[in-house]
Amino acid sequence: MEQPPARLSLQSPALHGLAGDLVRTIEPHTEADPAAILVQFLVAAGNAMGRSPFFKVEATRHHTNLFAAIVGQSAKARKGTSWSWVERVLATAEPEWGPRLQKGLSSGEGLIHAVRDGAAEDPGVTDKRLTVIESEFSSVLRRMNREGNSLSAILREAWDSGSLQVLTKGTPQRATEAHLSVVTHITIPELRALLSATDMSNGLANRFLWVFARRSKLLPEGGRLEDGSLSSLSSRLARVLSWARDVGEMKRSEAARKLWCEVYESLSSDKPGLFGQATSRAEAQVVRLSLLYALLARSEAIDEEHLSAALALMDYASDSARHIFGGAQQNPRANRILEALRERPEGRSRSELVKLFTGHVTRAELDMALGSLSEAGAAHMEEQPSGGRPTERWFHGAAAAKEEKKAKYPPASASVTERES
C-alpha cells in the first residue's frame, strides 16, 4: 500500500484560534484525521457566515465559501466521522443553518434551484447559503463526464461569483448572491481511476482544497468527549457568526501585507502536471483562508498570524495534492508509464516501456512522456552497465541528478521540433 510522505503533517500555525481549539478538543476522542476536521470546520463556518464579509483583490471579491475534497487511501479513513463532528458543532451554534445543508450533488440545475431567485409565482429562496456534502464524489465525477451535464460549470461559477444561471427550454433558473460551499469525500484509487474521464483539468480541481486524510488512531470503544466541551465551542462560534453578519470589506494589517509580498511569488508559480493544475489557485485559496481565520478571531483586519495559519494549511493541502495525484500528468502516456513504474520498484527498461503501448509509440512520444515525468520529479532514469552500451532503466520517484534528466528529456511543453533542433 502506498504510504504518505513524511512531510505530510499539519503544522501548528494552522491550528490557530477557534478552529485550532475545536480540533484539539475533538482529536483525542476520534479516529478522524485532525486535518479533515479542521478543513471541514472552516468550510462549514465560512458558509454559515454568509456573504457579507469579503476581501477585495483588484475587481474580484473573495468571500468565505470554500470547496474541499477529503481524500483517503481507502474507505477506512474516517472521512464521514470527521464531518459528523463539524455538523454537531455548527448545528448547535446556528440552528438556522441546518436546513441549508444538502447531501448529494446531482446537477447544475439542482444547485441553482436550491438557491434560486424569486420569479413569477415562485418566491424563491431568501437564505442564499448552501453547503453540499457529497460522500460519493466518484459518482459525481462520472456524472460530470456525461454530455450536457452543467454541474462542473455551475460549481466553478459558484466558487467565483455566486451568480448562477442555466438556460433551458422550459423555465430558465437563476440565482444571484449565492453562497455555496462544498465538501466531498473520495479515495485515492477512485480519484486516480477517474482522472482521465472527468473535466478535473478545466479549472474545477484548483477550486478545491485537496486534503489527504488518514485514520488517526484506533479507539475500539469510541471517544469520551463531554457535551459541555462541544457546547462551549458552539457558543464561541455563535458569537462569531452573529458578529460576522455586520462585517463588510476586510483588509490586511501592515505586517500581513509584508508577509503576503514575501510569499506571493511562490504561491503564484507554475507547478507541473495534474498536481500543478490542482493547486494553481493557491493564492486565492490563501486569501479566503486568511479571511476566515481573521473572522473566527473577530479581528478587524487580517493580521500576520491569520495569514500564517492560512499558509500552513495551504502547505498541507499542497502536499496532500502532491501525494494524491502522484505526479500524474496531462499526457496519458506519462500516466500509463507512471502506473507501470509504481507496480515495479526494480524499475523498467526503455524496451519494456515501449511494450506497454504494444509498440504503438514513437521515440519522440516516449521522450515527451518520460520528460514530463522527469520534470515533475515523478520518475527518474539510471544507466546500468550491460557489457556493452549502458542500459537505460526508469524508476518511480525523483532522482538527485534531476537537471541531467531534464536536459536529456525535455519537458512535455516542448515541441518535437524544439527537442530535435
Side-chain angles (χ1 to χ4, degrees), residues 118-355:
E121 298 178 358
D122 183 357
V125 176
T126 55
D127 190 344
K128 295 304 185 80
R129 297 175 301 174
L130 179 67
T131 299
V132 181
I133 173 75
E134 176 54 77
S135 59
E136 296 292 338
F137 195 34
S138 56
S139 62
V140 176
L141 295 179
R142 292 188 187 95
R143 203 175 297 131
M144 285 181 185
N145 199 45
R146 296 175 189 163
E147 186 176 353
N149 190 288
S150 61
L151 184 55
S152 176
I154 295 300
L155 284 172
R156 298 196 305 270
E157 196 57 48
W159 194 93
D160 291 349
S161 71
S163 296
L164 317 175
Q165 186 170 7
V166 171
L167 299 176
T168 60
K169 292 181 181 178
T171 55
Q173 297 210 49
R174 176 178 174 150
T176 53
E177 296 296 309
H179 192 64
L180 176 68
S181 305
V182 177
V183 170
T184 64
H185 296 164
I186 194 170
T187 66
I188 287 182
E190 288 173 325
L191 186 57
R192 286 180 179 167
L194 291 166
L195 280 175
S196 61
T198 69
D199 60 356
M200 291 292 286
S201 62
N202 69 357
L204 179 64
N206 61 37
R207 288 167 172 82
F208 278 84
L209 290 166
W210 297 94
V211 179
F212 181 71
R214 293 157 283 192
R215 191 187 214 171
S216 63
K217 65 182 75 67
L218 294 174
L219 296 175
E221 297 182 338
R224 299 180 182 275
L225 182 59
E226 299 291 336
D227 288 342
S229 299
L230 284 183
S231 298
S232 173
L233 291 165
S234 294
S235 296
R236 289 172 61 188
L237 179 58
R239 290 192 290 272
V240 167
L241 297 178
S242 177
W243 171 82
R245 291 191 187 97
D246 297 323
V247 174
E249 183 176 4
M250 291 277 284
K251 297 191 176 183
R252 295 189 186 102
S253 68
E254 191 56 39
R257 288 183 66 248
K258 182 179 178 182
L259 176 58
W260 178 253
C261 291
E262 292 172 0
V263 301
Y264 184 73
E265 182 177 358
S266 175
L267 286 173
S268 305
S269 62
D270 290 333
K271 310 293 190 305
L274 290 178
F275 157 70
Q277 292 177 359
T279 57
S280 61
R281 210 171 288 263
E283 61 269 42
Q285 299 283 15
V286 169
V287 165
R288 295 192 181 197
L289 287 170
S290 62
L291 173 60
L292 257 170
Y293 276 112
L295 291 168
L296 286 169
R298 290 199 281 176
S299 174
E300 294 183 359
I302 299 171
D303 213 341
E304 184 178 10
E305 59 187 355
H306 309 131
L307 180 53
S308 295
L311 290 167
L313 184 50
M314 192 65 220
D315 280 346
Y316 184 86
S318 294
D319 286 342
S320 290
R322 191 185 298 276
H323 175 62
I324 290 164
F325 293 99
Q329 306 292 303
Q330 281 183 289
N331 186 326
R333 294 186 186 89
N335 288 329
R336 178 69 184 93
I337 292 170
L338 185 62
E339 290 302 320
L341 295 179
R342 281 199 189 103
E343 293 167 1
R344 187 174 294 181
E346 65 271 25
R348 291 181 184 267
S349 67
R350 190 180 183 96
S351 60
E352 289 175 311
L353 295 178
V354 172
K355 289 178 182 178

Side-chain angles (χ1 to χ4, degrees), residues 55-62 249 264:
F55 184 91
K56 200 170 183 181
V57 178
E58 296 187 14
T60 301
R61 289 187 176 194
H62 285 278
E249 183 176 4
Y264 184 73

Side-chain angles (χ1 to χ4, degrees), residues 19 38-47 64 66 289 292-293 296 313:
L38 173 64
V39 171
Q40 290 176 111
F41 173 72
L42 291 173
V43 173
N47 188 261
T64 55
L66 297 172
L289 287 170
L292 257 170
Y293 276 112
L296 286 169
L313 184 50

Side-chain angles (χ1 to χ4, degrees), residues 61-72:
R61 289 187 176 194
H62 285 278
H63 295 270
T64 55
N65 58 310
L66 297 172
F67 292 180
I70 311 302
V71 187

